[in-house]
Amino acid sequence: MTDPLSQIAHQKGIRYFLICFTDLFGVQRAKLVPSQAIDLLAANGAGFAGFAAWLDMTPADPDILAIPDPNSLFQLPWRPDVAWMPADLYSVDGKPIIQTPRLVLKSVLSQAEERGYRVRTGVECEYFLLSAEGHQLSDPRDRSSKPCYDQESLMRRFDVISEICDGMLNLGWGPYQNDHEDANGQFEMNWTYADALCTADRHAFFKYMVKSIAEKHGLRATFMPKPFPHLTGNGCHTHLSVWDNAGTTNLFYDPEGELGLSSLAYQFIGGVLHSAQALCAFTNPTINSYKRIHAPVTASGATWSPSTISYSGNNRTHTIRIPDAGRFELRLADGAANPYLLPAALIALGLDGIEQKRDPGPRYDNNSYTDPLPKGTVKSLPIHLLDALRSLETNTILANALNNGFVKSYLKLKYQEWRDYSKQISPWELEQTINC
């Protein structure tokens, strides 16, 4: 994009720009900039106090500068006089801030490019539509025990769903289907896969768009992993393939390979499975995340989330599914996953798998919910966030690939989150132990 942003603003009727960065906890931070000032701030950056966001900084640190990426400009479909641009963070002397999730992803993608690889991803973002207060489902008639694909419940939310889909159509994302998901009040929208950074920017904007349009309609949207104990949680299933740098040849595709995957693809999967417990610190980054992947049977009869570190064919009960030739699906991640750190960690582990020629082991096609593998056959996923953080702390592969300083900052903040959680006294604890 070569035209000045002020000129683009004039052509498209943009009055304001949101210069946005995503912090380590996935919170989007932004400044609203009038179009008359956008060229100066685009060149020099919008100033932020780093301590005010989750970036492991102090009040004594100098300001940080958010440099927006004009190649990822999203004009708000529901408010076209405003445009959103993701930004990268730099210090005032021009050095990159290593705690910037978007820069972490760009660094990993550069490592892939140096090896001759171009990574493409797609995400399936599940979310609930709640009442405005967020305490209950927005549709009291959505009560079926098997609500997945329910036509009537879907169409009762047509105004919200169609406005979001129309927005993606206008943005050129290629959305191709919308459905009611497995939980009451839960929905999913699918759009075309793209280069990993493009998908990550779209993922970040999608979450903002869904929440904003829901609020416009008097509702609240949440991507929380497990908001209701008896219902299926929100996943963020991620599809991935590796191409040559020109983007013309899918290096994961092999018509002679098992399930249409190449040896390169299986090595990538081997790398992911090898460090899956540490990966959970990014794919399942909250306390609540582990109530989704280790949940009891839900009202629908299945959680649709994995509990073992295993891969399968077209089988949704394992961590990795191979639904088609030339790609795989990671079913582990949930709605709280950071749009940039999720692909960064996943790709880093896959590159390690290729580098070390890791063997993913045998494929298991059992139903993990009704016919679990014998104990000790495969490893289990962490049972809570603390386990995942401890696995990340000892994992040198992610520390080297993502930057050791970044991983230390992430762990520092996440351990503090665990300590804050541990100080709380829940109603359950009071009820169970008050008479001790």
Side-chain angles (χ1 to χ4, degrees):
M1 191 175 291
T2 56
D3 294 337
L5 285 169
S6 58
Q7 183 176 332
I8 294 170
H10 178 73
Q11 294 168 349
K12 296 190 173 185
I14 298 170
R15 296 172 54 234
Y16 287 92
F17 290 82
L18 280 168
I19 296 180
C20 173
F21 72 88
T22 301
D23 70 17
L24 292 178
F25 282 12
V27 179
Q28 294 188 20
R29 315 284 182 167
K31 284 198 171 181
L32 187 64
V33 178
S35 60
Q36 292 87 342
I38 191 59
D39 290 336
L40 179 63
L41 268 74
N44 299 323
F48 290 82
F51 179 70
W54 295 113
L55 291 171
D56 187 28
M57 304 184 83
T58 76
D61 288 320
D63 281 357
I64 56 177
L65 299 174
I67 308 294
D69 185 349
N71 294 308
S72 292
L73 183 152
F74 300 91
Q75 195 167 358
L76 273 56
W78 67 98
R79 180 135 201 176
D81 60 338
V82 179
W84 181 93
M85 284 191 295
D88 298 325
L89 300 179
Y90 293 86
S91 62
V92 291
D93 59 0
K95 295 180 180 178
I97 303 296
I98 61 171
Q99 302 97 306
T100 311
R102 194 170 188 266
L103 286 178
V104 173
L105 174 57
K106 290 171 79 171
S107 173
V108 172
L109 292 176
S110 293
Q111 295 169 39
E113 185 178 6
E114 290 169 2
R115 293 167 168 83
Y117 305 137
R118 184 171 178 175
V119 183
R120 288 174 169 161
T121 57
V123 290
E124 302 173 4
C125 305
E126 297 171 342
Y127 63 91
F128 283 88
L129 287 176
L130 309 177
S131 62
E133 299 78 17
H135 301 314
Q136 58 190 7
L137 299 179
S138 65
D139 183 358
R141 288 184 285 173
D142 190 349
R143 298 194 298 266
S144 170
S145 61
K146 287 277 191 182
C148 200
Y149 312 125
D150 184 76
Q151 179 174 269
E152 293 183 6
S153 296
L154 175 67
M155 292 306 292
R156 282 197 296 272
R157 286 291 167 259
F158 176 81
D159 290 347
V160 180
I161 301 298
S162 62
E163 185 170 350
I164 296 168
C165 189
D166 288 344
M168 289 191 286
L169 286 166
N170 292 335
L171 291 166
W173 294 9
Y176 54 88
Q177 63 182 10
N178 311 287
D179 65 66
H180 190 297
E181 267 299 324
D182 189 66
N184 305 112
Q186 187 185 46
F187 301 89
E188 179 182 285
M189 315 179 78
N190 304 128
W191 67 88
T192 307
Y193 71 92
D195 288 345
L197 181 62
C198 176
T199 294
D201 285 338
R202 290 175 176 180
H203 183 183
F205 184 76
F206 177 77
K207 295 182 76 171
Y208 172 53
M209 177 166 60
V210 168
K211 292 177 182 179
S212 298
I213 291 177
E215 186 174 333
K216 175 184 170 184
H217 289 267
L219 306 176
R220 182 174 183 178
T222 181
F223 294 85
M224 181 179 177
K226 186 76 169 178
F228 302 101
H230 65 295
L231 298 179
T232 305
N234 284 323
C236 183
H237 306 143
T238 303
H239 296 255
L240 187 145
S241 56
V242 171
W243 299 61
D244 64 350
N245 271 340
T248 57
T249 303
N250 183 351
L251 302 179
F252 272 13
Y253 177 68
D254 181 355
E256 304 300 322
E258 187 176 349
L259 300 181
L261 290 190
S262 65
S263 59
L264 187 87
Y266 281 106
Q267 290 169 2
F268 195 108
I269 291 172
V272 175
L273 296 178
H274 177 75
S275 297
Q277 291 176 323
L279 175 63
C280 284
F282 298 110
T283 55
N284 310 89
T286 69
I287 306 292
N288 180 256
S289 294
Y290 297 85
K291 296 182 178 180
R292 168 184 167 265
I293 60 176
H294 288 290
V297 175
T298 63
S300 71
T303 65
W304 299 104
S305 58
S307 60
T308 58
I309 300 173
S310 52
Y311 76 100
S312 186
N314 201 345
N315 178 332
R316 288 179 167 86
T317 68
H318 293 260
T319 288
I320 287 179
R321 175 174 77 113
I322 302 171
D324 199 0
R327 63 185 167 100
F328 73 81
E329 175 193 40
L330 181 78
R331 296 187 57 79
L332 179 59
D334 62 46
N338 189 302
Y340 300 101
L341 299 182
L342 161 59
L346 178 59
I347 294 164
L349 295 181
L351 293 178
D352 168 73
I354 294 172
E355 193 80 17
Q356 300 299 324
K357 294 181 169 53
R358 297 197 186 277
D359 183 354
R363 189 182 84 234
Y364 295 102
D365 293 323
N366 62 302
N367 181 337
S368 289
Y369 302 152
T370 61
D371 184 25
L373 295 168
K375 188 175 182 179
T377 304
V378 293
K379 292 182 179 180
S380 296
L381 294 168
I383 62 171
H384 46 56
L385 179 61
L386 185 60
D387 278 349
L389 296 179
R390 287 170 173 166
S391 294
L392 175 60
E393 191 170 20
T394 60
N395 188 281
T396 57
I397 298 167
L398 286 170
N400 292 332
L402 304 182
N403 186 296
N404 188 57
F406 155 74
V407 172
K408 285 183 177 179
S409 289
Y410 185 81
L411 284 169
K412 176 184 174 182
L413 294 178
K414 280 294 175 181
Y415 274 132
Q416 182 59 54
E417 182 181 22
W418 178 265
R419 287 191 292 270
D420 291 343
Y421 163 73
S422 299
K423 294 175 185 176
Q424 306 304 310
I425 307 299
S426 69
W428 184 91
E429 289 176 270
L430 285 172
E431 183 178 341
Q432 296 297 316
T433 57
I434 195 70
N435 291 322
C436 286

